[in-house]
């Protein structure tokens, strides 16, 4: 594909989106809500079909868990935004004599990763349509067909409910150059970037406004007061969910030595496998490539599949591979993000040391993303929250599902801001609020 053809495709997609959005921005709240509701219903109806497609195409994760993610991205996201006012006057602050008016952004560029392709398309489409925007997706090539399928279902549902055609589109032949052309296009109002660190940095340097999310490397502190059985149930359920490909899944356990034996006992009861030094060394060579980046061969694979790939023998029912570690550094893959059921385990002799260890893990990778603590002490939870350089501090819940708002009251989202500390523009769970501007009529009161 020549450079000229790539640019022509982007020009055509953006022009079509721009025309559709120019018509769509004059729709009433009732019309918008009817469109969003139909998209939600049709994506919910196709949750299983899309899950099967994504699993088959990428080889990542589990169909059953992808169904849950797709359902979450349609149902819970819809429930969280359905009553939000996004058209015309959305608020009258009578005491302040200020009237707030919602304004759509225009054309949004949505970058979609291979790890959560269909759920992310559903999520970004719903919040874009709710706010009267058009969206053009740049798909990860490894998940192109699944992303095309999801976008086709959504576009068809929107048009069926009265929307102009062209509000939801996808680059048909994705390349880095095509994505770059989309991100830099003068008619793109905002980039929603979910993907690798390099892609997110490219979004922020494109010249257009962007909301991006960086890598996760979620530390989990299990302190001396924790309900160990509950903590381990959360960790194992979360880390094995879709074989660990949600970026907010746990990456390293930081365990107080006073409860370590109980933690190990509970982990083994959940079929976790503790690797010896030789096995840990073998696996570590597969976690990272020579470039220092995560090896895609292990991403989204089960623990047993990873073991087979690496050449170590583990029981077939193994849930997680665990390696005891003490060093934290960029060279040590057990102290970095691993989008597969592998955990590093670090032992500490006090709550204070545990906090410092979690801080070091976040500084190593994942600054601004998410941290988890299991504790029965509200004081410890608050101290942990004050100390962590993370945007989401989760207490006594699953990292993967708590961060996206499935098991917490955080905004349901598949795009998790990491704040300035993580190179992002917001610490929020991104939602419809972030895809509209608000202008204000302000009367003189002095």
């Amino acid at each position: 594909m020549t450079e000229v053809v790539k640019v022509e495709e982007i020009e055509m997609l953006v022009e079509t989106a721009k025309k559709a959005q120019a018509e769509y921005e004059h729709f009433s709240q009732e019309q918008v809500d009817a469109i969003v509701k139909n998209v939600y219903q049709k994506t919910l109806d196709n949750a299983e079909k899309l899950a099967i497609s994504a699993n088959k195409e990428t080889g990542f994760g589990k169909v059953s868990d992808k169904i849950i993610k797709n359902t979450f991205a349609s149902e819970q996201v819809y429930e969280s935004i359905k009553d939000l006012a996004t058209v015309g006057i959305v608020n009258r602050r009578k005491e302040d004599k200020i009237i707030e008016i919602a304004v759509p952004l225009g054309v949004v560029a949505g970058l979609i990763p291979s790890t959560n392709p269909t759920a992310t398309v559903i999520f970004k489409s719903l919040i874009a349509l709710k706010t009267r925007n058009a969206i053009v997706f740049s798909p990860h090539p490894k998940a192109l067909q699944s992303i095309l399928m999801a976008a086709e279902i959504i576009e068809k549902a929107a048009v069926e409910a009265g929307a102009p055609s062209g509000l939801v589109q996808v680059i048909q032949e994705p390349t880095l150059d095509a994505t770059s052309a989309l991100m830099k296009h003068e008619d793109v109002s905002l980039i929603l970037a979910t993907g690798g660190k390099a892609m997110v940095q490219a979004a922020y340097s494109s010249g257009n406004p962007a909301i991006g999310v960086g890598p996760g490397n979620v530390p989990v502190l299990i302190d001396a007061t924790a309900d160990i059985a509950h903590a381990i149930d959360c960790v194992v359920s979360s880390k094995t969910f879709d074989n660990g490909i949600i970026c907010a899944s746990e990456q390293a356990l930081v365990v107080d030595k006073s409860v370590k034996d109980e933690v190990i006992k509970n982990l083994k009861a959940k079929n976790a496998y503790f690797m010896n030094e030789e096995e840990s060394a073998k696996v570590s060579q597969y976690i990272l490539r020579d470039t220092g980046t995560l090896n895609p061969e292990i991403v989204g694979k089960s623990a047993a599949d990873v073991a087979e790939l690496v050449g170590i023998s583990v029981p077939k029912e193994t849930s997680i591979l665990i390696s005891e570690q003490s060093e934290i550094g960029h060279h040590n893959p057990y102290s970095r993000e691993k989008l597969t059921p592998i955990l590093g385990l670090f032992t500490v002799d006090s709550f204070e040391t545990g906090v410092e260890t979690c801080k070091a893990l976040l500084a190593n990778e994942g600054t601004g993303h998410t941290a988890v603590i299991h504790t029965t002490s509200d004081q410890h939870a608050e101290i942990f929250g004050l100390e962590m350089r993370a945007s989401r501090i989760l207490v006594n819940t699953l990292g993967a599902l708590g961060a996206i708002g499935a098991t917490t009251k955080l905004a349901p989202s598949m795009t998790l801001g990491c704040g300035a500390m993580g190179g992002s523009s917001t610490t929020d769970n991104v939602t419809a609020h972030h895809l509209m501007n608000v202008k204000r009529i302000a009367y003189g009161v002095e």
Side-chain angles (χ1 to χ4, degrees):
M1 194 184 206
T2 66
E3 188 64 38
V4 174
V5 176
K6 289 172 196 165
V7 172
E8 281 181 357
E9 183 190 5
I10 300 306
E11 287 292 340
M12 186 172 64
L13 290 171
V14 174
E15 183 62 27
T16 300
K18 187 179 176 184
K19 285 180 180 176
Q21 193 278 326
E23 182 181 343
Y24 187 45
E25 72 174 63
H26 297 294
F27 277 39
S28 68
Q29 187 72 68
E30 291 73 23
Q31 288 174 304
V32 168
D33 290 348
I35 289 163
V36 171
K37 184 176 183 180
N38 201 44
V39 169
Y40 139 68
Q41 289 173 331
K42 290 298 191 292
T43 52
L44 188 62
D45 291 345
N46 286 280
E48 183 175 354
K49 175 183 174 182
L50 291 169
I52 292 168
S53 174
N55 175 256
K56 184 177 180 181
E57 184 176 13
T58 65
F60 295 162
K62 310 171 187 173
V63 170
S64 58
D65 290 343
K66 290 187 183 300
I67 293 170
I68 293 171
K69 280 197 295 190
N70 289 340
T71 301
F72 166 83
S74 57
E75 192 167 44
Q76 283 188 247
V77 170
Y78 172 73
E79 288 296 328
S80 72
I81 66 172
K82 68 177 184 179
D83 297 325
L84 178 68
T86 58
V87 178
I89 294 171
V90 294
N91 191 22
R92 294 179 184 271
R93 293 161 50 189
K94 291 180 180 178
E95 283 188 15
D96 299 327
K97 299 203 77 175
I98 288 177
I99 300 168
E100 296 179 342
I101 302 166
V103 183
L105 303 182
V107 178
V108 175
L111 276 55
I112 306 297
S114 58
T115 47
N116 301 300
T118 54
T120 306
V121 168
I122 294 167
F123 159 69
K124 289 185 177 180
S125 296
L126 281 172
I127 64 173
L129 293 171
K130 177 67 176 178
T131 46
R132 294 178 292 155
N133 297 300
I135 188 161
V136 178
F137 290 116
S138 173
H140 192 291
K142 191 178 175 76
L144 175 61
Q145 297 309 315
S146 306
I147 291 166
L148 285 169
M149 183 189 292
E152 185 181 346
I153 289 166
I154 292 162
E155 168 77 0
K156 185 179 177 183
V159 172
E160 188 181 86
S165 62
L167 288 177
V168 180
Q169 299 178 86
V170 183
I171 297 174
Q172 301 288 311
E173 297 190 51
T175 63
L176 288 173
D177 288 337
T179 300
S180 179
L182 175 65
M183 292 194 297
K184 292 177 180 177
H185 199 287
E186 63 181 2
D187 288 327
V188 165
S189 301
L190 178 77
I191 304 162
L192 268 184
T194 309
K197 186 177 180 181
M199 190 60 74
V200 171
Q201 287 176 339
Y204 276 115
S205 60
S206 67
N208 280 324
I211 298 176
V213 299
N217 185 32
V218 180
V220 187
L221 178 57
I222 300 179
D223 84 359
T225 75
D227 177 338
I228 304 301
H230 179 261
I232 299 309
D233 191 38
C234 287
V235 168
V236 174
S237 297
S238 178
K239 189 60 177 171
T240 57
F241 182 81
D242 211 16
N243 288 340
I245 57 175
I246 290 183
C247 56
S249 62
E250 293 80 349
Q251 304 297 332
L253 295 178
V254 179
V255 180
D256 191 289
K257 68 179 182 181
S258 67
V259 294
K260 182 180 178 181
D261 289 346
E262 193 179 350
V263 165
I264 291 174
K265 178 184 171 185
N266 277 266
L267 281 167
K268 287 182 175 177
K270 295 278 185 182
N271 297 316
Y273 180 83
F274 283 78
M275 297 182 288
N276 60 33
E277 231 174 277
E278 184 184 344
E279 291 167 333
S280 290
K282 275 188 177 181
V283 171
S284 72
Q285 291 169 4
Y286 273 80
I287 296 173
L288 300 178
R289 295 183 288 193
D290 293 339
T291 56
T293 56
L294 189 62
N295 181 359
E297 292 298 313
I298 67 166
V299 172
K301 297 290 191 293
S302 69
D305 285 342
V306 171
E308 186 178 355
L309 178 72
V310 173
I312 66 172
S313 179
V314 304
K316 64 180 181 180
E317 67 272 14
T318 297
S319 57
I320 299 174
L321 301 175
I322 297 179
S323 177
E324 291 208 47
Q325 296 288 314
S326 57
E327 263 189 84
I328 297 171
H330 217 59
H331 63 285
N332 181 3
Y334 292 108
S335 64
R336 293 180 58 185
E337 184 180 52
K338 305 163 287 298
L339 299 178
T340 196
I342 299 173
L343 285 171
L345 189 150
F346 297 81
T347 306
V348 294
D349 57 12
S350 67
F351 170 71
E352 291 74 19
T353 310
V355 168
E356 292 305 314
T357 301
C358 289
K359 286 167 69 175
L361 286 161
L362 280 173
N364 190 44
E365 187 172 42
T367 301
H369 205 292
T370 302
V372 181
I373 182 170
H374 289 275
T375 182
T376 55
S377 166
D378 288 342
Q379 183 183 19
H380 281 188
E382 290 184 18
I383 291 170
F384 187 77
L386 287 166
E387 290 290 327
M388 288 305 108
R389 284 173 59 79
S391 302
R392 282 153 296 280
I393 293 89
L394 308 178
V395 183
N396 300 333
T397 192
L398 294 74
L401 298 180
I404 65 173
T407 63
T408 63
K409 291 294 186 179
L410 293 173
S413 178
M414 298 300 293
T415 300
L416 310 179
C418 296
M421 55 191 158
S424 179
S425 55
T426 180
T427 54
D428 294 348
N429 280 18
V430 176
T431 185
H433 292 287
H434 301 88
L435 294 195
M436 65 179 184
N437 288 153
V438 176
K439 58 184 182 181
R440 294 167 178 85
I441 300 171
Y443 287 77
V445 293
E446 296 297 332

